[in-house]
Amino acid sequence: MSVAACGGGGSTTAGTSGGGDSTITMGFSQVGAESGWRTANTKSVQDAAKKAGIELKFSDAQQKQENQIKAIRSYIQQKVDIIAFSPVVESGWDTVLKEAQNAKIPVILTDRAVDSKDTSLYKTFLGSDFVEEGKKAGQWLVEEYKDSTDPVNIVELQGTTGSAPANDRKAGFAEVIAAESKFKIVASQTGDFTRAKGKEVMEAFLKAQPDIDVLYAHNDDMGLGAIEAIEGAGKVPGKDIKIITVDAVKDGMQALADGKINYIVECSPLLGPQLMDLAKKVVKGEQVPPRVVTEETTFTQEQAKQVLSTRQY
Ligand code: GYE
């Protein structure tokens, strides 16, 4: 059956899937549909699977870890060739990952990390460096206020509690702004990466905090919800309250070009093609790097105006 032992060499394949790439079945457990980023990510994964001839079994966990664990267990039962998933939170995965390992089904983490000590439980982790993203957000702020000695009051909308991007974007930002005592995070709460929650929590911040200078939102969607809250309170987003977000999805970029957001740190959701390449290699028994970091940039208001029309997502 096997299509020549081209390249790679010397690998001991599991034997069942040597008949070419079209036979690969991937079970993919997605976080949910909480944001524009997630929608673009789902589409990227589905399109790339089709293009790569990989049969995709897809499930949406609605931001619940228990649903992801159920989906992974069902993929193990169905004896898929490979499991990929984007873990909603970082902890609590060891048991189910061990089950996959015992069933000899390789696992790839995409987008978000787990905190398992045993890194043999997954083959590779493909996704962004969220600490770096948080640092970039902080660096813009430091630069923006470099000539001011007045206190700068910051409110923070965190992503889903316990998720890698929430933990890391918070940590990277905090590390950079800690260098100057004028920066104060006066309130920080989760908005669960959604627009509705971002709006709700920002409304509460505006009621409780008389003097907010800056909003740092861990994604565009929460920032966009917060803009509605700020406008509802009679303030001008981007001017009365400066806004930094992460992702750079189209709606976020539009708000940036319109002057309502001041700066966006990009986080690319287009992980599908790389994921399928890695999956093929892993199923063939080839070596893959343990960590594949997504390349990304940052956008000012001027830069957003220039690239908006060609933005894919
Ligand atoms: O930034 C946010 C989404 O895990 C990188 O999840 C992803 C984050 C993204 O809901 O919009």
Side-chain angles (χ1 to χ4, degrees), residues 54-159:
I54 290 179
E55 192 193 323
L56 188 70
K57 293 182 186 288
F58 182 91
S59 59
D60 172 338
Q62 299 181 333
Q63 296 234 69
K64 292 202 178 77
Q65 182 172 34
E66 68 208 71
N67 291 343
Q68 288 199 297
I69 292 174
K70 267 188 216 149
I72 293 169
R73 289 204 167 121
S74 116
Y75 295 145
I76 295 171
Q77 260 177 3
Q78 293 172 59
K79 298 191 168 55
V80 297
D81 297 305
I82 189 158
I83 292 170
F85 80 114
S86 175
V88 58
V89 291
E90 283 190 281
S91 29
W93 298 102
D94 288 38
T95 306
V96 74
L97 289 177
K98 199 96 212 141
E99 288 166 22
Q101 192 171 57
N102 290 340
K104 298 199 167 44
I105 300 176
V107 173
I108 296 182
L109 304 180
T110 97
D111 159 34
R112 296 186 184 179
V114 299
D115 65 3
S116 302
K117 296 265 173 324
D118 180 0
T119 53
S120 80
L121 292 174
Y122 53 90
K123 295 290 176 198
T124 182
F125 165 38
L126 163 68
S128 309
D129 183 337
F130 300 132
V131 175
E132 193 54 38
E133 291 172 351
K135 284 187 186 169
K136 287 179 188 166
Q139 281 152 5
W140 180 82
L141 200 63
V142 168
E143 181 62 24
E144 182 72 7
Y145 285 92
K146 68 170 188 287
D147 298 327
S148 159
T149 50
D150 295 343
V152 179
N153 291 334
I154 304 162
V155 295
E156 180 178 33
L157 281 170
Q158 297 179 38

Side-chain angles (χ1 to χ4, degrees), residues 24-63:
I24 296 175
T25 301
M26 173 188 282
F28 185 91
S29 169
Q30 180 59 292
V31 169
E34 73 282 4
S35 64
W37 189 100
R38 188 64 54 198
T39 310
N41 179 247
T42 293
K43 186 170 182 316
S44 172
V45 170
Q46 289 173 334
D47 290 353
K50 209 174 267 168
K51 213 164 163 203
I54 290 179
E55 192 193 323
L56 188 70
K57 293 182 186 288
F58 182 91
S59 59
D60 172 338
Q62 299 181 333
Q63 296 234 69

Side-chain angles (χ1 to χ4, degrees), residues 1-5 18-20:
M1 265 293 278
S2 79
V3 184

Side-chain angles (χ1 to χ4, degrees), residues 6-9 11 13 123 278 280-288:
C6 49
S11 58
T13 41
K123 295 290 176 198
L278 288 165
K280 284 182 181 179
K281 288 190 176 138
V282 167
V283 171
K284 278 185 198 151
E286 289 175 18
Q287 281 296 327
V288 294

Side-chain angles (χ1 to χ4, degrees), residues 159-191:
T160 301
T161 305
S163 70
N167 292 342
D168 294 355
R169 286 173 186 165
K170 183 173 182 44
F173 181 77
E175 189 192 314
V176 170
I177 64 164
E180 290 180 52
S181 59
K182 68 186 176 198
F183 294 115
K184 287 193 186 66
I185 299 183
V186 294
S188 180
Q189 213 178 297
T190 182

